[in-house]
Amino acid sequence: MTAAPALELWGVRKEFGGQVAVDGVDLEVPEGSFFALLGPSGCGKTTTLRMVAGLEQPTAGAVSIGGRDVTGTPAHRRPVNTVFQSYALFPHLSVLQNVEFGLRRQRVPDARARALAGLQTVRLAHLADRRPAQLSGGQQQRIALARAIVNNPSVLLLDEPLGALDLALRRAMQLELKRIQAEAGLTFVHVTHDQEEAMTMADTVAVMNAGRIEQLGPPAELYELPRTPFVATFLGRSNLVAGTVVEGSGGVLGVEVAGARLQVPADRSAVSDGPVLLGVRPEKVRLSAQGEPPPSGSNVLGPGTVTDVSFTGVSTAYQVDLGALGVHEVFAQNTTGAPTSRPGDTVHLAWDVDFTFGLVPDAAAAS
Amino acid sequence: MSLTMALVSPAQGADGGASEEVAARRRGRTGVGLLLPGAIYLVAFFAVPVLALLATSLYAPVPGGDVGQYLPALRWENYAAALGKFWPELLRSFWFALLATVAALVVGYPVAYVIAVRARGHRLLQGVLLVLVVAPFFTSFILRTIAWKQVLADDAFVVASLRWLHVLPDDGRLTATAFAVVAGLAYNFLPFMILPVYASLERLDVRMIEAGGDLYAGPFTTFRTVTLPLSMPGVVSGTLLTFIPAAGDYVSASLLGNPTTTTMIGQVIDSRFFRVLDYPTAAALSVVLMVVIALLVTAYVRRTGTEDLL
Amino acid sequence: MSPVRLRTAPEIPGHRSPRRWRLADAVVPAFAGLAFLYLLVPVAYTVAFSFNDAGKSNLVWRGFTWDNWANPCGAPQVCKAFANSLQVGLLSTLVATVLGTLVAIALVRYRFRGRALANLLVFLPMSTPEVVLGAALLAQFLTLRVPLGFWTVVIAHVMFNVSFVVVTVKARVQSMDPRLEEAAADLYATPWQAFWRVTFPLLLPGILAAALLAFSLSFDDFIVTSFNSGPYTTFPKFVYVSATRGIPPQANVIGTAMFVLALAVVVGAQVVTAARRRATRTAAARPEGSAP
Ligand SMILES: Nc1ncnc2c1ncn2[C@@H]1O[C@H](COP(=O)(O)OP(=O)(O)OP(=O)(O)O)[C@@H](O)[C@H]1O
Ligand SMILES: [Mg+2]
C-alpha cells in the first residue's frame, strides 16, 4: 500500500469578485518530492499556494494534505508552512525568536534546541541574536526558510523565495534548497516564474497558465515532449509550424506544411488528424547547405535565408527566415570552432523525425 | 482619513497595495466586531447629541413660561434671528481663524522644516526640538494664554519697545486688541500645525531636494516645485487642525480680547447657553458653525487635491 | 549644539555661489529660532511666575520665592483640580485608546458594508469645533437629566479623543505589512495569539503615541469640559475660573512641573533609544565569529 500523497487539489477554483484567478486545478504531489509550480506573472501561482496554506478559501474544489481534507481548516491548524516572497520575518523578534515562533505556538517541548538546530541547517546559528533588519537579503531568506522547516511541515510552500536575490546568490541558494530538501526529506512546493530554476530543482514541474495547469511531469519530459503551444514556448524555446495531418500509418503521421511533407511520431502528437502545430527544439535542428542530401528519417524545411548569427560561446544561434513559415532558430554546438553559415546564406533546416512534436493549434486550444 | 496623518512619529512608507489586497480578503464579522464598540460610542455621544442639538435649534419658548423653558417645535425663524443678530461674530470668527491659520503656517512651517530636514540624522536634536514643540501642551493652555496677556501688557517690554520704535503710538496697546486674539489663537494651535507638517517632511526623501538642486533649480525654486508639493498633505492636515478649533475657540478672545470688537462666535454660544439660557439660539449658532466648517473643509480639500486624506 | 548642515547635493561649481547657499542656510534656522521663542516665551513666563512672591494676584512680579514650590497645594482647590484632571485624563485615555485602536484595525484591515460611513463618523468629531461638541453633549445630558460631574467629563473626553486615536493608530496599521499576520497564522498562531504576539507589539509605538496625544488633549481641555462638568473642576477650568480673581502661583508650579516632567520623559526616552540603537549597532558590527 502506498502512502497518501502529501498534497492533493481537486478542481480548485478561485474567483475574486467574478475575475477567475485559479480555474479548476487538479494536482497530486507525492510525499518527499520537490514540486515546482511554474508560470508567468499573474497566472495564479500565489493564489494556489495561499489556498493550500489556508490563507485563502477556494471558491470551489477541495484541498487535502496527507490524505486529510483541510478545505475548511484555518491556516493555523494546517500542517503546512510557507516561505513568503517578502520573507515576512517578524521585525520585533530576534532571529532565534522568529525561528522558534511556530514551535512555541505548537507547544513543542524543546523549542529552543530545535530552533537552534534549524539555524544550524541554514548555517546561520551565529546570527541568532540579531534582528531581521540587521541581516542581508540572502540571510533573511535563509532565516525564513529555517523558520518554516523547523516545524517539520507535511508540505513546505515556497513562493518565489529566491526572487529578490542576485543571480550568484540565487544559484547558490538553489543548491542549498535542494540539499536541505534532501536532508530533511520534506515535500517542497516551489513557486517560480524562472523556468531554469524550476527545471534544475524540481522532480516534477507543473506549468501553469491563466489559472490552469497546462502540463505536469518531470522536467526532461516536459522539455522533450511539450503538450501545448504555451509549454513549448514558455519552457525553453521552440520552432513551430502549422500544418494538416494528411496520412497516418505505421505509428507515424504525415503532415503537409506549406507544400512540404513532414512527419511526426503518432505518440508524440496531440492530434491525429486535421490541423496540427508541429514543433522542434532549436538545438535539435541542423543547418544543411543547398544541395546537401538530408539524412534519412529527417524532416526538412527550406530553403531559407540566414538573417543573423550570434556566437554565445558554448553554441551559436542562427536566425533563419523561411518566408511564409516565419523566422526559425537553430542552436548549434561549437564543436567545429567556427560558425558554418553566415548571414545571407541559403540553407535548409533538418531534424530527426523522432524529435518532432505535434500540438493542438492555438486557436483550437483556446476555444 | 488621516486628517492628522500622524501627530506623531511618522509611519514608514505604507505598503498600500498589499494591505488593500489583504483587507479585501478579510471581510465580515470580525471587522464589524472590532468597529462596533467605538462606533456605538461615537453614535451615542457624538451623532445623537448633534442631532439633538439640531432639534434644540428649532425649539420654541413655552408661551408665558419662564426664561429657559422651551418646547419641541420646528421654529426655523430661530436661524434667521440668530444669524441676523450674530452674523458679525460669526464672520469675525472665520476671519480670525483664517488669520491665525496663516500665521501659524508661516511660523510653523520653517520650524517643521528645520526639525525634519535640517536636523535629519541628529536624532537626539530632533527629539529635543520636537519635545519643545509638544511640551507647552502640558502647561495648561489657559496658563499660557494668561502669560500672553502678561507679555503683551501695556507696561511690559514688548509694548514699551514698540512704542519706543514708534511702531505703536504712545498710547497704543496690544492687550484687548484683535492682534492679541489672533496671536493667541495662532500660538495655541501652533503644535497642531507643526506636527503634521513635520511628519510629511520627515517622510520626504532628501534625495528629492538634491535632485531639484541637480536640475539647476535655485533653493527657492526647489522649495516651490519639490519640497512644498511633497509636504502638501501635512500642510493641509495642519491648516485644518488649526483652523477648525480656532474658529470655535473662545478662550483667547475672552482672555486677550475686549467685549466689543473681538467677540467670537464661541463666546456667544457659551453665553447664550449659560448666561441667557437661550438654548435654541446657542444650538442654531452651533449648527451653523458646524455646517459652514464642514463646507469649507470639503471645498478646501477638493481644491488642494488631497481628498484621500479624509 | 553641533552644527546642522543641509545634506543637499554637492555644490556645482560655477552655478550657485557658495555664499548665497550659506545665507539661505542661515535664514531658515534663524527664523525657526524666533518661532521657538514665540512658542516658549509664555512657557518661560509661566515658569518664572511660579517663583513669584505673588500675594493676591500673580500678574505682577513681586520678588523671588521658593514658597510656592515648597507648598504646591497651598492655594485652595488647586491640587484637587489637578488630581481631578489626572483622573479624567488617565481614564479617558485608557478607554479612548482601546476603542480607537480597535476601530483603526477594523478600518484598515477589513472590508465590510458601512465602512465609508464609519470613516465619516470618525472624521466628523475632528472637524467639529469644541464649542459644538460641548454644547451638543450638554444638551443631551440635560435632556436625559444626567447629573454633571466626573463621569460626564470622562464621557466627553473619550468622545473627542477616540477620533484622534483612530487616526494616529491607523497610520501605524497602514504601515504594517499584512503578510506578518499571515505568517503568524501560517506558523500555527491562533487569531488571538497572532494579535498579541505580532500585531500588538508592532502597533505599540503608534498606540503609545496615540495615548500620549489623548492624555495631553484631555489634560489640557477646557471648552468641552466647561460645558459638561457642572460643579466638577479640572485644572484648566480652575485656572480659567480663577483668572478673574487672580490665579494663585501654585497653578504655575503645577504647570511648570508638568512641562518639566513631559520634557524629562521624552528626552529620557530619546536617550534610552539612542543608547539601545548604539548597542545593537555594535552587536551587529561584531565579526561573525562562529561562521563556518
Ligand atoms: N485579493 C485579490 N483580489 C483580486 N484579485 C486578485 C487577488 N489576488 C490575486 N488576484 C488576481 O488573481 C490573479 C492571479 O494572481 P496571483 O497572485 O496568484 O498570480 P501569480 O501567479 O502569483 O503572479 P506573480 O508571478 O506575479 O506573483 C491575478 O490576475 C491577480 O490580479
Ligand atoms: Mg505570486
Side-chain angles (χ1 to χ4, degrees):
Chain A
M1 197 191 107
T2 52
L7 172 67
E8 289 164 280
L9 303 186
W10 288 295
V12 168
R13 183 180 170 81
K14 180 72 189 179
E15 292 169 17
F16 291 107
Q19 189 213 342
V20 181
V22 175
D23 189 5
V25 164
D26 291 289
L27 267 189
E28 191 172 303
V29 180
E31 174 97 44
S33 65
F34 198 127
F35 187 94
L37 200 53
L38 173 69
S41 188
C43 72
K45 308 178 297 286
T46 298
T47 308
T48 308
L49 220 55
R50 292 174 58 85
M51 288 190 286
V52 174
L55 299 170
E56 204 88 71
Q57 276 301 311
T59 314
V63 179
S64 102
I65 295 168
R68 195 163 64 87
D69 186 344
V70 295
T71 311
T73 311
H76 64 275
R77 291 209 212 95
R78 295 194 188 192
V80 296
N81 290 105
T82 308
V83 177
F84 290 82
Q85 176 162 17
S86 55
Y87 313 141
L89 295 176
F90 303 124
H92 60 300
L93 300 180
S94 73
V95 163
L96 185 63
Q97 288 168 323
N98 261 282
V99 179
E100 272 178 321
F101 192 93
L103 298 169
R104 292 231 178 266
R105 300 290 81 71
Q106 294 173 290
R107 303 187 185 284
V108 171
D110 49 351
R112 173 133 308 180
R114 282 179 57 178
L116 278 169
L119 281 175
Q120 232 114 46
T121 311
V122 297
R123 302 184 180 137
L124 288 179
H126 57 291
L127 300 181
D129 297 329
R130 292 243 189 120
R131 292 288 168 106
Q134 299 165 335
L135 303 179
S136 72
Q139 289 168 336
Q140 290 183 23
Q141 202 282 325
R142 283 191 277 169
I143 299 302
L145 183 63
R147 184 176 73 171
I149 58 174
V150 288
N151 302 296
N152 208 10
S154 303
V155 182
L156 183 72
L157 307 171
L158 303 109
D159 190 358
E160 304 200 25
L162 310 179
L165 306 182
D166 65 54
L167 196 65
L169 200 51
R170 247 178 119 104
R171 296 284 170 255
M173 279 307 299
Q174 287 175 1
L175 297 177
E176 181 100 356
L177 271 179
K178 268 186 101 158
R179 171 184 70 82
I180 289 168
Q181 194 260 343
E183 272 174 21
L186 295 172
T187 309
F188 276 33
V189 174
H190 182 112
V191 158
T192 177
H193 56 230
D194 177 346
Q195 44 121 350
E196 200 176 325
E197 184 173 300
M199 294 212 278
T200 50
M201 299 178 76
D203 330 319
T204 310
V205 174
V207 179
M208 207 170 168
N209 183 33
R212 296 167 178 274
I213 301 234
E214 296 240 342
Q215 193 178 350
L216 181 156
E221 188 185 310
L222 287 186
Y223 187 79
E224 294 304 338
L225 187 53
R227 284 303 189 181
T228 70
F230 177 79
V231 176
T233 49
F234 187 73
L235 199 72
R237 313 176 73 114
S238 297
N239 295 317
L240 299 175
V241 287
T244 315
V245 179
V246 290
E247 77 174 300
S249 65
V252 176
L253 304 177
V255 178
E256 163 119 13
V257 176
R261 176 63 76 86
L262 303 183
Q263 290 181 308
V264 58
D267 58 358
R268 287 179 60 86
S269 178
V271 280
S272 50
D273 63 322
V276 66
L277 202 60
L278 289 189
V280 65
R281 298 291 187 181
E283 74 280 4
K284 303 287 195 321
V285 182
R286 279 160 288 131
L287 293 180
S288 56
Q290 200 131 28
E292 214 176 293
S296 61
S298 288
N299 283 328
V300 180
L301 281 179
T305 313
V306 176
T307 56
D308 186 65
V309 179
S310 29
F311 180 72
T312 63
V314 196
S315 62
T316 304
Y318 300 91
Q319 307 284 329
V320 180
D321 189 346
L322 290 183
L325 292 175
V327 177
H328 288 233
E329 272 186 314
V330 176
F331 297 157
Q333 287 287 315
N334 282 322
T335 44
T336 57
T340 50
S341 300
R342 17 174 55 119
D345 286 0
T346 303
V347 292
H348 282 81
L349 307 186
W351 68 93
D352 206 319
V353 167
D354 289 343
F355 291 138
T356 316
F357 49 84
L359 309 170
V360 182
D362 248 331
S367 71
Chain B
M1 169 52 171
S2 78
L3 171 62
T4 48
M5 210 154 47
L7 279 162
V8 280
S9 56
Q12 303 87 354
D15 183 3
S19 58
E20 272 304 304
E21 214 181 281
V22 169
R25 288 187 183 116
R26 303 189 192 177
R27 45 193 84 235
R29 276 166 292 152
T30 319
V32 176
L34 294 174
L35 180 78
L36 224 47
I40 289 176
Y41 195 98
L42 287 181
V43 167
F45 298 114
F46 170 73
V48 171
V50 166
L51 291 178
L53 193 69
L54 202 66
T56 309
S57 71
L58 301 172
Y59 279 11
V62 173
D66 256 344
V67 174
Q69 287 191 308
Y70 296 92
L71 274 177
L74 282 179
R75 204 158 172 269
W76 294 98
E77 306 93 274
N78 288 347
Y79 280 87
L83 284 177
K85 195 160 170 198
F86 296 111
W87 65 266
E89 283 82 1
L90 195 65
L91 278 186
R92 186 182 296 130
S93 294
F94 289 119
W95 175 236
F96 280 9
L98 181 70
L99 290 176
T101 305
V102 171
L105 182 62
V106 169
V107 174
Y109 196 103
V111 173
Y113 183 84
V114 165
I115 302 176
V117 180
R118 297 280 170 112
R120 187 167 294 184
H122 304 258
R123 295 232 183 193
L124 192 63
L125 177 64
Q126 271 188 321
V128 170
L129 293 178
L130 276 177
V131 182
L132 287 180
V133 172
V134 183
F137 268 134
F138 287 88
T139 54
S140 170
F141 93 104
I142 308 239
L143 275 179
R144 283 178 288 132
T145 306
I146 288 167
W148 267 120
K149 202 167 163 173
Q150 289 165 284
V151 175
L152 301 178
D154 290 345
D155 48 0
F157 171 76
V158 175
V159 170
S161 319
L162 291 176
R163 281 180 186 163
W164 184 73
L165 289 170
H166 292 278
V167 176
L168 278 178
D170 277 350
D171 58 347
R173 47 191 316 218
L174 290 176
T175 28
T177 62
F179 174 83
V181 175
V182 171
L185 286 174
Y187 173 78
N188 269 326
F189 301 108
L190 196 52
F192 285 105
M193 178 67 80
I194 295 176
L195 291 177
V197 176
Y198 161 79
S200 67
L201 284 172
E202 168 71 28
R203 246 173 269 184
L204 182 135
D205 193 339
V206 178
R207 277 170 304 181
M208 300 258 211
I209 304 178
E210 290 171 11
D214 278 353
L215 297 170
Y216 296 94
F220 181 73
T221 317
T222 306
F223 175 78
R224 194 171 47 80
T225 55
V226 181
T227 314
L228 188 61
L230 288 172
S231 61
M232 218 38 210
V235 171
V236 173
S237 294
T239 45
L240 289 179
L241 283 173
T242 307
F243 181 83
I244 295 166
D249 184 76
Y250 66 78
V251 174
S252 292
S254 71
L255 290 179
L256 299 173
N258 63 56
T260 50
T261 62
T262 63
T263 311
M264 289 175 68
I265 198 69
Q267 287 168 284
V268 176
I269 295 174
D270 181 65
S271 77
R272 288 285 120 185
F273 234 111
F274 290 115
R275 250 160 261 159
V276 192
L277 305 184
D278 179 3
Y279 303 129
T281 303
L285 290 173
S286 301
V287 171
V288 170
L289 183 62
M290 190 178 174
V291 169
V292 173
I293 285 183
L295 292 178
L296 286 177
V297 167
T298 312
Y300 177 58
V301 166
R302 286 261 162 78
R303 188 71 205 260
T304 51
T306 42
E307 283 108 323
D308 44 331
L309 283 180
L310 299 183
Chain C
M1 194 172 96
S2 61
V4 180
R5 280 195 30 88
L6 178 59
R7 303 223 234 118
T8 52
E11 280 134 35
I12 301 159
H15 171 56
R16 284 174 254 116
S17 76
R19 221 177 80 232
R20 190 165 138 226
W21 258 118
R22 223 173 287 140
L23 191 65
D25 265 1
V27 165
V28 179
F31 190 87
L34 287 177
F36 269 111
L37 204 65
Y38 177 56
L39 207 54
L40 293 175
V41 157
V43 178
Y45 256 77
T46 306
V47 174
F49 277 76
S50 74
F51 295 103
N52 190 14
D53 193 359
K56 255 209 186 92
S57 162
N58 197 14
L59 282 176
V60 194
W61 184 252
R62 291 247 179 79
F64 183 91
T65 177
W66 286 106
D67 290 354
N68 311 323
W69 282 85
N71 192 10
C73 295
Q77 287 296 315
V78 65
C79 276
K80 178 70 186 138
F82 176 62
N84 287 350
S85 270
L86 285 183
Q87 281 171 5
V88 169
L90 290 175
L91 190 59
S92 65
T93 298
L94 185 71
V95 177
T97 305
V98 172
L99 294 179
T101 300
L102 296 183
V103 171
I105 293 173
L107 288 180
V108 179
R109 284 283 195 262
Y110 295 86
R111 291 290 171 275
F112 42 83
R113 235 175 307 141
R115 195 166 149 272
L117 197 68
N119 266 321
L120 190 68
L121 190 63
V122 171
F123 172 70
L124 276 179
M126 281 191 299
S127 69
T128 306
E130 282 192 72
V131 246
V132 181
L133 294 178
L137 203 51
L138 173 62
Q140 166 106 329
F141 286 140
L142 291 178
T143 316
L144 300 177
R145 299 182 194 290
V146 179
L148 299 179
F150 173 74
W151 288 107
T152 50
V153 175
V154 171
I155 287 173
H157 284 203
V158 171
M159 183 264 293
F160 67 68
N161 269 333
V162 166
S163 299
F164 283 96
V165 173
V166 172
V167 165
T168 310
V169 176
K170 226 174 120 174
R172 187 83 194 177
V173 183
Q174 271 162 343
S175 73
M176 188 185 143
D177 183 357
R179 304 255 179 271
L180 293 174
E181 288 151 320
E182 297 189 343
D186 187 63
L187 293 164
Y188 313 106
T190 61
W192 184 250
Q193 289 171 328
F195 177 80
W196 284 112
R197 303 206 168 258
V198 176
T199 315
F200 180 74
L202 289 172
L203 295 186
L204 192 59
I207 294 174
L208 286 180
L212 197 68
L213 178 67
F215 182 80
S216 56
L217 290 178
S218 165
F219 186 82
D220 204 20
D221 179 74
F222 168 71
I223 296 180
V224 171
T225 308
S226 85
F227 274 87
N228 291 287
S229 54
Y232 193 76
T233 297
T234 61
F235 185 62
K237 187 175 164 187
F238 169 82
V239 177
Y240 186 82
V241 170
S242 32
T244 41
R245 287 175 277 119
I247 298 161
Q250 278 81 358
N252 292 50
V253 171
I254 287 170
T256 305
M258 286 301 287
F259 177 77
V260 172
L261 194 70
L263 215 63
V265 166
V266 185
V267 173
Q270 282 283 332
V271 171
V272 169
T273 39
R276 197 186 305 151
R277 203 177 305 122
R278 217 171 299 126
T280 47
R281 207 180 297 139
T282 24
R286 224 166 33 204
E288 299 184 5
S290 52

